[in-house]
Amino acid sequence: DVEVPESHPRYESLLTRHRIEEGVEKGITSRQGLIAQGRGEAFDYLLGERTTGSADAAARAAAAHLLLADHPVLSVNGNVAALCPGELVELAEVVGADLEVNLFNRTDERMRAIVDHLRDHGAEAVRGLTADGRIPGIDHERAKVDAEGIGDADVVLVPLEDGDRAEALGAMGKVELVVDLNPMSRSAQVATVPIVDNVIRAIPNVTRHARDLADASEAELHAVVDGFDAETTLAAAERAIREGVDDEGDGENES
Ligand code: PTJ
């Protein structure tokens, strides 16, 4: 085990890296996942490794969508399973969502390892192994979903989704909530709600907003959803990266 002193200026980042390494060792994360994490880290560094105002507003809009959904599903891949399994299980509980393992590089071994890993973190039912549904327009392995899971969902949270599939899920008419540190990635660009933040901060933040909105009326939830604009959010994130300025958001949470 690697010991990282808490006093290290980049403690969080090193800890995150270690979790991804461990994920690869346990057969949860793909080796490509290491590269994806490196890319994410570069953007996180440029964003100041914090949740910006606009990312916080996006997290709140995502929470409202999940609470309004008839059938919300949280999609889990090898990176997020290694980074924040307990946080995903908690969010699923708070908003009444299904968890479904859905992999870019799908193998049976990794599917099973991730299902077991989520169960170890308190998940009861985990979807993904049935794979009796398909996302139209995507090649075979990547198209596999559970017909009664993502296939039937009206709202899907897809952290770190690949651009093609993000687009195809959108074309199926699903509300898509994406977490991606790169505001210029295609998945962020096609999302109904792009959350430009590290998944490690974003998932607990969505949960916090969902708890806060738990007693809100449908009209109040619709107001949160309608008050959100994806284009403005992406532009704000890009400005935060390019100019190092904090973006506007709703100013509610700067903690
Ligand atoms: O487990 P699998 O087989 O489903 O594969 C998952 C990965 C992530 C490896 C796969 O989907 C992939 O290759 O993704 P990409 O195309 O590398 O895209 C990953 C995106 O996520 C990039 O835009 C990164 O900036 C972003 N990203 C990486 N780490 C994080 C992140 N965004 C938020 N939080 C992170 N920790």
Side-chain angles (χ1 to χ4, degrees):
D1 248 24
V2 179
E3 285 293 325
V4 183
E6 268 184 64
S7 60
H8 193 287
R10 309 208 53 244
Y11 175 74
E12 284 294 335
S13 157
L14 293 175
L15 201 71
T16 304
R17 228 181 256 190
H18 183 55
R19 280 195 204 160
I20 286 281
E21 262 187 88
E22 233 175 27
V24 174
E25 279 158 20
K26 286 188 188 159
I28 289 169
T29 310
S30 70
R31 279 182 299 169
Q32 283 190 28
L34 294 168
I35 299 167
Q37 173 65 23
R39 262 204 289 167
E41 268 186 37
F43 283 103
D44 205 11
Y45 187 83
L46 293 170
L47 279 162
E49 295 173 329
R50 74 208 150 108
T51 300
T52 61
S54 67
D56 185 59
R60 192 167 180 84
H65 271 294
L66 289 166
L67 291 169
L68 281 168
D70 288 325
H71 184 191
V73 176
L74 314 184
S75 179
V76 181
N77 65 22
N79 280 53
V80 298
L83 290 175
C84 49
E87 289 84 351
L88 285 165
V89 172
E90 193 177 345
L91 176 59
E93 266 169 28
V94 170
V95 299
D98 283 345
L99 289 163
E100 177 165 337
V101 182
N102 195 250
L103 300 183
F104 183 68
N105 296 297
R106 188 184 177 107
T107 66
D108 277 348
E109 297 72 42
R110 219 146 58 75
M111 289 293 298
R112 278 171 214 289
I114 295 172
V115 169
D116 290 346
H117 187 63
L118 291 172
R119 290 213 180 107
D120 288 347
H121 283 83
E124 281 173 21
V126 181
R127 293 188 187 274
L129 294 172
T130 314
D132 52 350
R134 294 290 178 273
I135 306 170
I138 298 292
D139 70 71
H140 192 69
E141 285 306 304
R142 284 172 192 158
K144 287 182 176 173
V145 291
D146 277 18
E148 286 177 18
I150 288 176
D152 175 65
D154 54 344
V155 176
V156 218
L157 175 78
V158 279
L160 281 66
E161 183 56 285
D162 125 78
D164 269 1
R165 227 170 36 180
E167 213 156 26
L169 285 167
M172 289 174 85
K174 299 184 191 301
V175 167
E176 234 181 322
L177 317 170
V178 166
V179 181
D180 196 319
L181 276 159
N182 178 3
M184 286 154 282
S185 79
R186 200 143 54 90
S187 30
Q189 300 275 342
V190 302
T192 316
V193 178
I195 307 173
V196 183
D197 199 3
N198 197 318
V199 73
I200 246 174
R201 296 188 299 267
I203 300 297
N205 199 28
V206 175
T207 306
R208 186 176 66 81
H209 281 297
R211 287 212 166 97
D212 189 50
L213 292 168
D215 297 325
S217 66
E218 280 208 11
E220 286 169 318
L221 293 174
H222 279 294
V224 173
V225 162
D226 294 343
F228 178 80
D229 183 65
E231 245 170 80
T232 312
T233 297
L234 290 173
E238 205 174 314
R239 226 172 20 249
I241 288 172
R242 288 185 195 277
E243 296 162 28
V245 291
D246 197 1
D247 49 17
E248 57 271 20
D250 60 5
E252 258 183 51
N253 168 53
E254 300 297 323
S255 64

